[in-house]
Amino acid sequence: MVAPGAVIAIPVRNEAERIAACLRAIDAQTGIPPGSLGVVLFLNNCTDATEAIVADLVPRMSMPVRVTHVTYAGAHAGWARREAMNRAADWLGADGMILSTDADSRVPPDWVARNRAALDRGADAVAGRIALDADERALLPPSLHWRGDREDIYSDLLTEAEARIDPDPHDPWPCHRTTIGATLSVSVAAYRAVGGMPAIALGEDGAFVALLLAQGLHVRHDPAILVTVSGRLVGRAPGGVADTIRARCEKPDSLCDARLESVPRALFRYAWRRRLRRLHAAGRLGTERGWAKALRITEAEAARVAAHPLAGHAVAEAERTSPRLVHRPLGPRQLPGQIRLARAVLPAVRLVTRFLG
Protein backbone atom coordinates (compact mmCIF):
# COMPACT_ATOMS: atom_id res chain seq x y z
CA MET A 1 0.00 0.00 0.00
CA VAL A 2 1.10 3.56 -0.70
CA ALA A 3 1.88 5.37 2.55
CA PRO A 4 -0.61 8.13 3.43
CA GLY A 5 0.57 11.72 3.74
CA ALA A 6 -0.70 12.01 7.31
CA VAL A 7 -1.57 9.59 10.10
CA ILE A 8 -3.58 10.37 13.23
CA ALA A 9 -2.27 8.56 16.32
CA ILE A 10 -4.72 7.94 19.16
CA PRO A 11 -3.96 6.17 22.45
CA VAL A 12 -7.16 4.53 23.72
CA ARG A 13 -8.10 3.04 27.07
CA ASN A 14 -11.67 2.36 28.21
CA GLU A 15 -13.36 4.99 26.02
CA ALA A 16 -16.59 3.16 25.18
CA GLU A 17 -18.65 6.31 25.81
CA ARG A 18 -16.62 8.59 23.54
CA ILE A 19 -14.59 6.69 20.96
CA ALA A 20 -17.43 6.64 18.41
CA ALA A 21 -17.77 10.44 18.43
CA CYS A 22 -13.98 10.76 18.15
CA LEU A 23 -13.80 8.48 15.09
CA ARG A 24 -16.81 10.05 13.39
CA ALA A 25 -15.20 13.48 13.69
CA ILE A 26 -12.01 12.14 12.15
CA ASP A 27 -13.95 10.49 9.33
CA ALA A 28 -15.56 13.86 8.51
CA GLN A 29 -12.28 15.59 7.56
CA THR A 30 -12.44 17.93 4.57
CA GLY A 31 -9.93 19.79 2.43
CA ILE A 32 -7.48 16.88 2.04
CA PRO A 33 -6.87 14.61 -0.95
CA PRO A 34 -8.67 11.25 -0.91
CA GLY A 35 -6.47 8.46 0.40
CA SER A 36 -4.04 10.85 2.09
CA LEU A 37 -5.05 10.12 5.69
CA GLY A 38 -4.66 7.08 7.94
CA VAL A 39 -5.45 6.39 11.59
CA VAL A 40 -3.59 4.41 14.26
CA LEU A 41 -5.63 3.27 17.27
CA PHE A 42 -3.46 2.03 20.12
CA LEU A 43 -5.85 0.22 22.45
CA ASN A 44 -4.14 -0.51 25.74
CA ASN A 45 -5.57 -2.25 28.80
CA CYS A 46 -9.19 -1.88 27.68
CA THR A 47 -11.68 -3.69 29.92
CA ASP A 48 -14.95 -2.13 28.72
CA ALA A 49 -16.74 -2.24 25.34
CA THR A 50 -14.19 -0.06 23.54
CA GLU A 51 -12.72 -2.90 21.48
CA ALA A 52 -16.15 -4.05 20.29
CA ILE A 53 -17.18 -0.50 19.31
CA VAL A 54 -13.92 0.02 17.41
CA ALA A 55 -14.33 -3.32 15.63
CA ASP A 56 -17.81 -2.25 14.51
CA LEU A 57 -16.87 1.27 13.37
CA VAL A 58 -13.50 0.78 11.67
CA PRO A 59 -14.73 -1.23 8.63
CA ARG A 60 -17.18 1.57 7.83
CA MET A 61 -14.65 4.40 7.93
CA SER A 62 -13.52 6.07 4.70
CA MET A 63 -9.80 5.79 5.51
CA PRO A 64 -7.45 2.97 6.48
CA VAL A 65 -7.22 2.32 10.22
CA ARG A 66 -4.60 0.22 11.97
CA VAL A 67 -5.66 -1.11 15.36
CA THR A 68 -3.27 -2.47 17.99
CA HIS A 69 -4.42 -4.24 21.17
CA VAL A 70 -1.97 -4.32 24.08
CA THR A 71 -2.17 -5.32 27.74
CA TYR A 72 0.71 -3.94 29.75
CA ALA A 73 0.83 -3.47 33.52
CA GLY A 74 3.31 -0.58 33.30
CA ALA A 75 1.19 1.52 30.93
CA HIS A 76 0.83 5.28 31.36
CA ALA A 77 -0.23 8.19 29.17
CA GLY A 78 3.21 9.12 27.83
CA TRP A 79 4.07 5.53 26.97
CA ALA A 80 0.74 5.00 25.19
CA ARG A 81 1.04 8.21 23.17
CA ARG A 82 4.61 7.36 22.19
CA GLU A 83 3.60 3.86 21.08
CA ALA A 84 0.75 5.25 18.98
CA MET A 85 2.92 7.94 17.39
CA ASN A 86 5.77 5.52 16.72
CA ARG A 87 3.38 3.30 14.80
CA ALA A 88 2.17 6.31 12.83
CA ALA A 89 5.78 7.27 12.00
CA ASP A 90 6.54 3.74 10.81
CA TRP A 91 3.54 3.86 8.47
CA LEU A 92 4.43 7.24 6.94
CA GLY A 93 6.98 8.24 4.35
CA ALA A 94 9.88 10.59 5.04
CA ASP A 95 7.78 13.73 4.39
CA GLY A 96 4.68 12.59 6.28
CA MET A 97 2.85 14.27 9.15
CA ILE A 98 1.90 12.66 12.47
CA LEU A 99 -1.14 14.05 14.25
CA SER A 100 -1.95 13.30 17.88
CA THR A 101 -5.35 13.50 19.52
CA ASP A 102 -7.21 11.76 22.35
CA ALA A 103 -9.99 9.20 22.28
CA ASP A 104 -12.32 11.50 24.24
CA SER A 105 -11.76 14.47 21.89
CA ARG A 106 -13.61 15.67 18.79
CA VAL A 107 -11.57 17.38 16.09
CA PRO A 108 -13.17 19.90 13.69
CA PRO A 109 -13.62 18.98 9.99
CA ASP A 110 -10.67 21.16 8.90
CA TRP A 111 -8.29 19.91 11.61
CA VAL A 112 -5.97 17.89 9.37
CA ALA A 113 -6.05 20.51 6.60
CA ARG A 114 -5.14 23.36 8.97
CA ASN A 115 -2.27 21.39 10.48
CA ARG A 116 -0.97 20.48 7.02
CA ALA A 117 -1.17 24.12 5.91
CA ALA A 118 0.89 25.23 8.92
CA LEU A 119 3.58 22.63 8.18
CA ASP A 120 3.59 23.66 4.53
CA ARG A 121 4.29 27.24 5.66
CA GLY A 122 7.48 26.12 7.39
CA ALA A 123 6.51 24.78 10.80
CA ASP A 124 8.02 21.51 12.02
CA ALA A 125 5.20 21.01 14.51
CA VAL A 126 1.84 22.60 15.27
CA ALA A 127 0.07 22.94 18.62
CA GLY A 128 -3.63 23.79 18.69
CA ARG A 129 -5.99 24.96 21.40
CA ILE A 130 -8.75 23.11 23.27
CA ALA A 131 -12.25 23.90 24.48
CA LEU A 132 -14.30 21.86 26.93
CA ASP A 133 -17.41 20.14 25.63
CA ALA A 134 -20.16 22.76 26.09
CA ASP A 135 -22.68 20.41 27.75
CA GLU A 136 -20.11 19.05 30.20
CA ARG A 137 -18.68 22.49 30.88
CA ALA A 138 -22.13 23.72 31.89
CA LEU A 139 -22.18 21.16 34.71
CA LEU A 140 -19.01 22.51 36.33
CA PRO A 141 -19.22 24.96 39.26
CA PRO A 142 -19.38 28.73 38.52
CA SER A 143 -16.10 29.28 40.39
CA LEU A 144 -14.32 27.11 37.84
CA HIS A 145 -15.77 29.12 34.94
CA TRP A 146 -14.72 32.38 36.64
CA ARG A 147 -11.19 31.13 37.12
CA GLY A 148 -10.84 29.52 33.69
CA ASP A 149 -12.07 32.62 31.84
CA ARG A 150 -9.61 34.87 33.67
CA GLU A 151 -6.72 32.48 33.20
CA ASP A 152 -7.43 32.44 29.47
CA ILE A 153 -7.61 36.24 29.30
CA TYR A 154 -4.40 36.71 31.25
CA SER A 155 -2.58 34.00 29.31
CA ASP A 156 -3.43 35.74 26.03
CA LEU A 157 -2.19 39.08 27.35
CA LEU A 158 1.11 37.59 28.54
CA THR A 159 1.50 35.65 25.28
CA GLU A 160 1.17 38.81 23.22
CA ALA A 161 3.76 40.55 25.39
CA GLU A 162 6.10 37.59 25.05
CA ALA A 163 5.60 37.35 21.29
CA ARG A 164 6.45 41.04 20.88
CA ILE A 165 9.38 41.25 23.31
CA ASP A 166 11.02 37.93 22.37
CA PRO A 167 9.56 37.26 18.92
CA ASP A 168 9.78 33.95 17.10
CA PRO A 169 9.42 34.57 13.35
CA HIS A 170 8.02 31.07 12.95
CA ASP A 171 5.37 31.59 15.64
CA PRO A 172 4.21 35.21 15.30
CA TRP A 173 1.40 36.87 17.19
CA PRO A 174 -1.47 35.99 17.29
CA CYS A 175 -0.44 32.71 18.90
CA HIS A 176 -1.00 30.88 22.19
CA ARG A 177 0.92 28.72 24.64
CA THR A 178 -1.29 25.63 24.95
CA THR A 179 0.58 22.35 24.63
CA ILE A 180 -1.64 19.29 24.79
CA GLY A 181 -1.64 15.89 23.11
CA ALA A 182 -5.29 16.34 22.10
CA THR A 183 -4.17 18.56 19.21
CA LEU A 184 -0.56 18.25 18.18
CA SER A 185 1.05 17.57 14.83
CA VAL A 186 4.66 17.09 13.78
CA SER A 187 6.61 16.14 10.69
CA VAL A 188 8.14 12.67 10.71
CA ALA A 189 11.60 14.22 10.32
CA ALA A 190 11.18 16.45 13.38
CA TYR A 191 9.65 13.60 15.39
CA ARG A 192 12.65 11.39 14.74
CA ALA A 193 15.12 14.25 15.26
CA VAL A 194 14.21 14.54 18.95
CA GLY A 195 13.83 10.82 19.58
CA GLY A 196 10.05 10.75 19.50
CA MET A 197 7.49 11.44 22.21
CA PRO A 198 9.04 11.14 25.71
CA ALA A 199 7.74 8.04 27.48
CA ILE A 200 7.07 9.83 30.76
CA ALA A 201 4.01 9.35 32.94
CA LEU A 202 2.93 12.99 33.06
CA GLY A 203 3.39 16.01 30.79
CA GLU A 204 4.76 14.11 27.80
CA ASP A 205 3.19 16.59 25.34
CA GLY A 206 4.81 19.64 26.95
CA ALA A 207 8.15 17.86 27.25
CA PHE A 208 7.98 16.92 23.57
CA VAL A 209 7.40 20.51 22.43
CA ALA A 210 10.20 21.67 24.73
CA LEU A 211 12.54 19.21 23.03
CA LEU A 212 11.57 20.53 19.61
CA LEU A 213 12.13 24.15 20.61
CA ALA A 214 15.42 23.41 22.36
CA GLN A 215 16.68 21.78 19.15
CA GLY A 216 15.87 24.91 17.17
CA LEU A 217 12.88 23.36 15.41
CA HIS A 218 9.89 25.52 14.55
CA VAL A 219 6.68 25.08 16.54
CA ARG A 220 3.61 27.03 15.49
CA HIS A 221 0.99 27.60 18.20
CA ASP A 222 -1.96 28.17 15.89
CA PRO A 223 -4.95 29.85 17.59
CA ALA A 224 -7.24 28.89 14.69
CA ILE A 225 -6.97 25.17 15.49
CA LEU A 226 -9.50 24.30 18.20
CA VAL A 227 -10.37 20.80 19.40
CA THR A 228 -13.22 19.89 21.73
CA VAL A 229 -12.18 17.84 24.77
CA SER A 230 -14.08 16.16 27.56
CA GLY A 231 -15.06 18.08 30.66
CA ARG A 232 -15.32 14.95 32.77
CA LEU A 233 -13.96 14.78 36.30
CA VAL A 234 -12.70 11.19 36.13
CA GLY A 235 -10.15 10.68 33.37
CA ARG A 236 -7.90 7.90 32.14
CA ALA A 237 -4.50 9.56 32.61
CA PRO A 238 -3.29 10.79 36.02
CA GLY A 239 -2.50 14.48 35.85
CA GLY A 240 -4.56 15.01 32.69
CA VAL A 241 -7.36 17.47 31.97
CA ALA A 242 -9.88 15.59 34.14
CA ASP A 243 -7.56 15.58 37.14
CA THR A 244 -6.85 19.29 36.69
CA ILE A 245 -10.57 20.13 36.56
CA ARG A 246 -11.35 17.98 39.60
CA ALA A 247 -8.45 19.41 41.61
CA ARG A 248 -9.60 22.95 40.93
CA CYS A 249 -13.14 22.06 41.92
CA GLU A 250 -11.82 20.68 45.20
CA LYS A 251 -9.27 23.47 45.79
CA PRO A 252 -10.54 26.65 44.10
CA ASP A 253 -7.57 28.69 45.37
CA SER A 254 -4.86 26.35 44.04
CA LEU A 255 -2.06 28.10 42.13
CA CYS A 256 -2.33 28.86 38.44
CA ASP A 257 -0.05 27.46 35.76
CA ALA A 258 3.62 28.35 36.30
CA ARG A 259 3.78 30.74 33.36
CA LEU A 260 0.97 32.88 34.78
CA GLU A 261 3.21 35.01 36.97
CA SER A 262 2.91 38.70 37.75
CA VAL A 263 3.28 41.24 34.94
CA PRO A 264 6.64 42.64 36.18
CA ARG A 265 8.16 39.16 36.54
CA ALA A 266 6.83 38.05 33.15
CA LEU A 267 8.20 41.12 31.36
CA PHE A 268 11.53 40.67 33.15
CA ARG A 269 11.68 37.05 31.92
CA TYR A 270 10.80 37.90 28.31
CA ALA A 271 13.34 40.73 28.18
CA TRP A 272 16.11 38.43 29.42
CA ARG A 273 15.16 35.72 26.95
CA ARG A 274 15.45 38.29 24.18
CA ARG A 275 18.86 39.48 25.40
CA LEU A 276 20.26 35.97 25.88
CA ARG A 277 19.17 34.90 22.40
CA ARG A 278 20.80 37.93 20.84
CA LEU A 279 24.04 37.43 22.75
CA HIS A 280 24.05 33.79 21.67
CA ALA A 281 23.41 34.69 18.03
CA ALA A 282 26.29 37.19 18.13
CA GLY A 283 28.63 34.64 19.69
CA ARG A 284 29.10 36.83 22.79
CA LEU A 285 27.40 34.69 25.43
CA GLY A 286 30.73 33.18 26.42
CA THR A 287 32.74 36.42 26.42
CA GLU A 288 30.35 38.85 28.05
CA ARG A 289 29.53 37.83 31.61
CA GLY A 290 27.55 40.85 32.76
CA TRP A 291 24.37 38.89 32.05
CA ALA A 292 25.47 36.12 34.42
CA LYS A 293 26.15 38.56 37.24
CA ALA A 294 22.79 40.26 36.72
CA LEU A 295 21.02 36.91 36.85
CA ARG A 296 23.12 35.72 39.82
CA ILE A 297 24.57 32.81 37.89
CA THR A 298 28.01 31.55 38.93
CA GLU A 299 30.94 31.58 36.50
CA ALA A 300 30.91 27.79 36.22
CA GLU A 301 27.17 27.74 35.51
CA ALA A 302 27.52 30.62 33.03
CA ALA A 303 30.17 28.65 31.16
CA ARG A 304 27.78 25.70 30.87
CA VAL A 305 25.04 28.00 29.59
CA ALA A 306 27.34 29.58 27.00
CA ALA A 307 28.61 26.19 25.83
CA HIS A 308 25.22 25.15 24.43
CA PRO A 309 25.40 25.36 20.63
CA LEU A 310 21.65 25.99 20.34
CA ALA A 311 20.07 29.19 21.67
CA GLY A 312 17.01 27.31 22.93
CA HIS A 313 19.18 25.09 25.12
CA ALA A 314 21.17 28.05 26.42
CA VAL A 315 18.10 30.09 27.36
CA ALA A 316 16.43 27.11 29.02
CA GLU A 317 19.57 26.38 31.05
CA ALA A 318 19.88 30.01 32.12
CA GLU A 319 16.27 30.04 33.30
CA ARG A 320 16.78 26.78 35.18
CA THR A 321 19.95 28.08 36.87
CA SER A 322 19.12 31.69 37.72
CA PRO A 323 17.41 32.36 41.07
CA ARG A 324 16.02 35.55 39.52
CA LEU A 325 14.11 33.55 36.89
CA VAL A 326 12.37 31.11 39.20
CA HIS A 327 8.68 30.86 38.28
CA ARG A 328 6.31 32.29 40.89
CA PRO A 329 2.77 31.48 39.75
CA LEU A 330 -0.22 33.52 40.81
CA GLY A 331 -3.24 32.52 42.83
CA PRO A 332 -6.60 32.93 41.07
CA ARG A 333 -7.60 35.89 43.26
CA GLN A 334 -4.63 37.84 41.89
CA LEU A 335 -5.74 37.47 38.28
CA PRO A 336 -8.15 40.45 37.98
CA GLY A 337 -5.52 42.92 39.20
CA GLN A 338 -2.83 41.48 36.93
CA ILE A 339 -5.21 41.55 33.96
CA ARG A 340 -5.82 45.26 34.54
CA LEU A 341 -2.07 45.89 34.83
CA ALA A 342 -1.29 43.88 31.68
CA ARG A 343 -3.92 45.79 29.71
CA ALA A 344 -2.42 49.06 30.89
CA VAL A 345 1.16 48.05 30.04
CA LEU A 346 0.60 46.26 26.73
CA PRO A 347 0.18 49.41 24.57
CA ALA A 348 3.64 50.56 25.70
CA VAL A 349 5.07 47.11 24.92
CA ARG A 350 3.61 47.30 21.41
CA LEU A 351 5.03 50.76 20.84
CA VAL A 352 8.53 50.04 22.16
CA THR A 353 8.92 46.72 20.37
CA ARG A 354 7.75 48.26 17.10
CA PHE A 355 10.73 50.60 17.24
CA LEU A 356 13.20 48.00 18.54
CA GLY A 357 12.29 45.47 15.89
Side-chain angles (χ1 to χ4, degrees):
M1 294 179 62
V2 176
V7 172
I8 302 172
I10 312 174
V12 186
R13 185 171 82 85
N14 289 348
E15 292 290 359
E17 295 181 3
R18 304 168 194 271
I19 188 64
C22 171
L23 294 179
R24 291 190 186 106
I26 287 170
D27 207 29
Q29 293 301 293
T30 60
I32 56 174
S36 65
L37 182 63
V39 179
V40 165
L41 297 177
F42 184 73
L43 278 62
N44 65 100
N45 300 302
C46 291
T47 58
D48 64 359
T50 298
E51 293 187 5
I53 294 170
V54 167
D56 177 63
L57 283 175
V58 164
R60 293 184 274 124
M61 292 184 67
S62 62
M63 60 196 66
V65 181
R66 293 184 176 183
V67 183
T68 299
H69 304 263
V70 174
T71 300
Y72 174 47
H76 54 68
W79 167 82
R81 195 175 305 281
R82 177 184 174 89
E83 291 294 319
M85 294 181 76
N86 284 351
R87 284 163 172 75
D90 291 342
W91 189 359
L92 288 161
D95 59 348
M97 173 178 66
I98 307 167
L99 299 108
S100 166
T101 192
D102 292 332
D104 65 327
S105 301
R106 300 192 308 275
V107 301
D110 61 353
W111 184 62
V112 173
R114 282 188 180 274
N115 277 276
R116 169 54 72 188
L119 261 65
D120 288 345
R121 289 192 294 268
D124 296 299
V126 185
R129 302 186 84 163
I130 60 169
L132 294 184
D133 176 90
D135 291 338
E136 295 179 341
R137 186 180 189 275
L139 300 176
L140 298 173
S143 61
L144 199 65
H145 295 300
W146 182 92
R147 173 177 179 156
D149 291 344
R150 280 148 189 81
E151 284 183 328
D152 289 345
I153 291 168
Y154 191 50
S155 178
D156 286 345
L157 291 167
L158 288 187
T159 299
E160 181 181 355
E162 179 186 18
R164 294 186 184 282
I165 294 170
D166 182 31
D168 179 351
H170 302 282
D171 194 20
W173 177 258
C175 55
H176 63 88
R177 288 297 176 261
T178 300
T179 302
I180 189 166
T183 173
L184 190 62
S185 65
V186 61
S187 70
V188 171
Y191 185 76
R192 297 196 186 283
V194 297
M197 179 65 61
I200 56 178
L202 181 62
E204 78 286 352
D205 37 20
F208 177 65
V209 169
L211 285 173
L212 293 169
L213 291 171
Q215 289 289 345
L217 295 167
H218 306 146
V219 180
R220 172 62 177 153
H221 294 81
D222 193 334
I225 298 175
L226 186 69
V227 167
T228 300
V229 302
S230 167
R232 63 190 177 190
L233 298 180
V234 180
R236 304 296 178 263
V241 173
D243 276 4
T244 300
I245 294 173
R246 187 178 67 255
R248 291 185 173 184
C249 288
E250 296 171 351
K251 296 181 179 180
D253 289 329
S254 58
L255 291 177
C256 301
D257 184 79
R259 72 177 296 269
L260 299 185
E261 49 193 348
S262 69
V263 171
R265 287 193 64 80
L267 298 183
F268 180 82
R269 183 180 307 281
Y270 307 151
W272 270 107
R273 286 178 183 171
R274 175 190 179 101
R275 182 176 176 186
L276 291 171
R277 280 187 225 283
R278 280 157 176 73
L279 286 172
H280 187 280
R284 296 176 6 225
L285 203 57
T287 57
E288 293 187 16
R289 292 300 171 85
W291 62 268
K293 184 177 180 180
L295 293 176
R296 300 177 191 165
I297 295 176
T298 67
E299 288 190 12
E301 290 168 337
R304 283 196 295 271
V305 170
H308 285 291
L310 296 173
H313 279 152
V315 173
E317 181 68 12
E319 288 198 66
R320 187 191 67 79
T321 305
S322 170
R324 299 196 68 191
L325 294 175
V326 172
H327 283 277
R328 294 178 184 170
L330 302 171
R333 296 178 188 275
Q334 297 172 275
L335 289 170
Q338 292 300 314
I339 288 171
R340 290 192 294 271
L341 180 57
R343 284 173 169 163
V345 168
L346 199 50
V349 171
R350 293 172 185 147
L351 182 64
V352 170
T353 55
R354 189 177 300 123
F355 283 105
L356 291 178

